[in-house]
Amino acid sequence: RKEVEQDPGPFNVPEGATVAFNCTYSNSASQSFFWYRQDCRKEPKLLMSVYSSGNEDGRFTAQLNRASQYISLLIRDSKLSDSATYLCVVKLQGGGFKTIFGAGTRLFVKA
Amino acid sequence: NAGVMQNPRHLVRRRGQEARLRCSPMKGHSHVYWYRQLPEEGLKFMVYLQKENIIDESGMPKERFSAEFPKEGPSILRIQQVVRGDSAAYFCASQPPGDGELFFGEGSRLTVL
């Protein structure tokens, strides 16, 4: 079983749509959680951290369910510029903090 | 404040040659990660290093691959006797001490002919 699993997509949505991405992780010792965004042939960049209480940043909302080992990202009012691959990221503690990336979910937002 | 610097950005090697990829972390960052990304695939963890110390190399292939992060100078990912399957983007990320965000370099794209 992969340490971090995501639906690969692609998700094809029209502008203005709401889209949700899910992610599950297998290691219950996981400490920290993030969503990163990667544009085509570019490096990943941090989108937002994910907290148990849930957190929101503009049109983006992230949720964490530790009991189910599940992370989600909700994007409201999709923009063309949201087209990218979204990476679920889990940090494990064990001799330092090892950071594991999911394979990513690809999003295409169309006009 | 310069970001994570990787070089070369693009590298072409013939089968059997050696590839050396370099990564200079952000100033003040003492932790470096290397990831490999094959075309149309996700990032695969390779190795996690601190200065002069390999913390976790569980993602490194057992042969031909090695990494170091010396006291002075950049971190180096070395691939000996490259094969076509090594063609990929290799990303380096650095992290400040403790539990902080990873900052990525722009990647080094290796093509093996």
Side-chain angles (χ1 to χ4, degrees):
Chain A
R1 183 183 173 187
K2 291 182 181 177
E3 291 184 277
V4 180
E5 295 207 56
Q6 294 183 249
D7 182 343
F11 285 60
N12 293 287
V13 303
E15 272 188 295
T18 295
V19 61
F21 303 139
N22 302 320
C23 169
T24 57
Y25 59 95
S26 60
N27 192 325
S28 58
S30 300
Q31 299 284 320
S32 308
F33 309 88
F34 309 88
W35 284 99
Y36 276 68
R37 169 189 170 136
Q38 186 176 25
D39 292 290
C40 187
R41 299 186 65 79
K42 299 284 190 181
E43 74 274 21
K45 294 184 178 177
L46 179 67
L47 180 65
M48 58 197 304
S49 301
V50 188
Y51 306 112
S52 296
S53 55
N55 50 303
E56 186 174 312
D57 182 2
R59 297 181 293 108
F60 299 82
T61 300
Q63 295 276 357
L64 166 65
N65 184 322
R66 285 188 183 270
S68 302
Q69 297 183 192
Y70 170 92
I71 305 160
S72 66
L73 176 68
L74 184 75
I75 305 175
R76 291 181 299 277
D77 189 23
S78 300
K79 311 292 185 191
L80 294 175
S81 58
D82 293 334
S83 297
T85 297
Y86 290 83
L87 306 170
C88 176
V89 182
V90 171
K91 191 172 285 187
L92 311 174
Q93 185 173 13
F97 288 93
K98 176 177 168 180
T99 302
I100 304 297
F101 283 73
T105 299
R106 189 171 288 187
L107 173 66
F108 294 101
V109 181
K110 300 185 184 300
Chain B
N1 184 17
V4 178
M5 304 300 292
Q6 288 190 249
N7 68 83
R9 293 288 310 280
H10 300 276
L11 181 64
V12 178
R13 286 287 178 264
R14 295 190 182 281
R15 281 180 296 170
Q17 291 185 317
E18 178 179 290
R20 282 190 181 225
L21 310 177
R22 287 174 290 277
C23 170
S24 296
M26 288 181 69
K27 187 176 181 181
H29 288 194
S30 56
H31 301 206
V32 165
Y33 291 77
W34 284 95
Y35 291 86
R36 177 165 64 176
Q37 188 169 38
L38 296 170
E40 305 301 319
E41 293 190 15
L43 287 163
K44 300 290 187 192
F45 169 80
M46 298 183 75
V47 63
Y48 167 36
L49 310 106
Q50 293 177 354
K51 287 278 187 182
E52 300 184 279
N53 192 19
I54 296 175
I55 304 299
D56 187 332
E57 57 180 346
S58 58
M60 289 279 271
K62 296 292 182 230
E63 298 176 347
R64 303 188 297 109
F65 285 72
S66 62
E68 62 176 3
F69 190 14
K71 186 177 180 180
E72 301 292 337
S75 175
I76 295 175
L77 179 67
R78 181 183 178 204
I79 311 172
Q80 296 177 288
Q81 299 171 5
V82 296
V83 301
R84 289 213 173 114
D86 297 332
S87 296
Y90 291 84
F91 287 98
C92 169
S94 75
Q95 182 182 41
D99 183 12
E101 175 187 348
L102 288 186
F103 293 84
F104 280 85
E106 293 182 310
S108 291
R109 282 168 175 76
L110 171 66
T111 301
V112 180
L113 302 177

